Amino acid sequence: MIGKTITSRKILLLAPLLLFLGLAYVVPFLGVVRWSFTMPEVGLGQYRALMTDPLVQSVFIRTLRICLIVTAAVLVTAYAIAYVWVRGSSVQRMLAEFCILVPFWISVLTRAFGWLAMLSNRGLINTWLQSAGVISEPLALARNELGVIIGMTHFLIPFAVFPIASAMRSIDERVLLAARGMGASRTRIFWTVFVPLTYGGLIGAALIVFVFALGFFVTPAILGGGRSVMVAELVYLRIFQSPDWGLGAAISVVLVLFIGALLALMRRFIKPAHLIG
């Protein structure tokens, strides 16, 4: 009886939040779903277009390719930063915290334009390299996929550091001492003991980064220069510039369902693995 009372109180406390989320997210999304089936004509025409339109298919393939590359780059960089943050000296930990926290204070728009100033043909990097005589012509570092990947990787690194660092902190030091007592070298301990014990954090960070990357809009729009359109930008173009609201709504629905499937996968498999680690 007491347990039921406590549960009912929790539901009452959560009711305003659930109502707000429903009105703010679920109801508008249902409207987008309706558009995907009714505009410009009632039916599945927009979803058939997703399967047959070469432009839409190329954008989806480009988005997946960029997201996979960004995820791999973020994991490698974040793992190194997290390792220093968890196991480094006090000065190293302080520097790592600075590198992790400061980006949160800078907006994504500011960071995107900052990278554009660094990577453009007349940016700092090309200017320095040409002044030093290293190159004669500016390198194509922006207005392409490379610039998008660099900007997205920089933005997403802090989000991957936290789950990886959490997994590292959960490692029992006695396991590492036992491996060292058995004569294993530091390199072997790192690759055969330390890294496998952080797999839960790595997979969780990979899913977080990949899901975030799928919905990126500002960074690809600025650093891609319209030449590396991703799914979120394609939705914007279809809704506000074409206008083709039905196809834009269908793309949005597919993207949301795909992200929902990834989140369900993370909830089902990643969280238990992380707790075990």
Side-chain angles (χ1 to χ4, degrees):
M1 185 67 182
I2 297 178
K4 292 182 179 180
T5 304
I6 295 175
T7 303
S8 61
R9 288 180 179 177
K10 289 181 179 179
I11 294 175
L12 289 175
L13 289 174
L14 290 175
L17 176 61
L18 295 176
L19 179 62
F20 171 77
L21 293 176
L23 293 175
Y25 295 101
V26 177
V27 174
F29 178 68
L30 292 177
V32 173
V33 173
R34 181 174 62 84
W35 290 349
S36 69
F37 287 103
T38 59
M39 299 180 68
E41 298 176 353
V42 177
L44 300 174
Q46 300 301 338
Y47 291 95
R48 284 195 293 268
L50 288 178
M51 304 298 295
T52 58
D53 191 331
L55 174 62
V56 176
Q57 292 178 355
S58 66
V59 170
F60 270 98
I61 293 172
R62 181 186 302 114
T63 300
L64 292 176
R65 180 176 64 247
I66 290 176
C67 290
L68 289 173
I69 295 173
V70 168
T71 300
V74 167
L75 288 181
V76 173
T77 309
Y79 200 93
I81 295 175
Y83 186 86
V84 173
W85 189 25
V86 173
R87 306 187 67 83
S89 64
S90 58
V91 176
Q92 291 173 333
R93 289 197 298 268
M94 186 180 301
L95 181 61
E97 287 181 4
F98 180 82
C99 295
I100 295 167
L101 297 177
V102 167
F104 284 110
W105 304 342
I106 305 173
S107 71
V108 60
L109 188 63
T110 303
R111 280 191 263 184
F113 278 112
W115 277 112
L116 188 62
M118 290 283 291
L119 302 175
S120 63
N121 289 343
R122 296 185 179 181
L124 295 177
I125 294 178
N126 277 312
T127 301
W128 290 341
L129 292 176
Q130 287 180 301
S131 299
V134 178
I135 58 175
S136 58
E137 297 291 333
L139 300 175
L141 302 177
R143 310 291 185 184
N144 51 30
E145 284 191 20
L146 177 60
V148 174
I149 290 170
I150 292 173
M152 290 176 62
T153 300
H154 174 251
F155 182 86
L156 290 170
I157 285 174
F159 295 96
V161 169
F162 290 107
I164 294 174
S166 178
M168 289 181 178
R169 290 193 177 97
S170 67
I171 294 176
D172 192 341
E173 288 292 332
R174 292 172 295 181
V175 177
L176 305 179
L177 291 175
R180 190 174 303 173
M182 296 295 291
S185 63
R186 290 182 178 271
T187 303
R188 187 173 182 183
I189 293 173
F190 178 79
W191 289 110
T192 62
V193 179
F194 189 85
V195 172
L197 290 175
T198 60
Y199 279 166
L202 275 171
I203 299 175
L207 279 175
I208 291 172
V209 171
F210 189 78
V211 168
F212 279 6
L214 283 173
F216 256 58
F217 172 72
V218 174
T219 301
I222 294 175
L223 293 176
R227 301 176 183 176
S228 298
V229 177
M230 295 179 64
V231 170
E233 188 176 356
L234 180 62
V235 172
Y236 171 83
L237 294 174
R238 292 295 183 180
I239 295 294
F240 294 101
Q241 293 190 11
S242 295
D244 191 352
W245 286 28
L247 184 57
I251 296 172
S252 302
V253 171
V254 171
L255 182 61
V256 170
L257 293 178
F258 182 66
I259 292 176
L262 289 177
L263 292 176
L265 180 68
M266 181 171 61
R267 181 180 178 83
R268 180 176 177 83
F269 294 105
I270 305 308
K271 186 175 180 181
H274 175 67
L275 291 176
I276 293 172

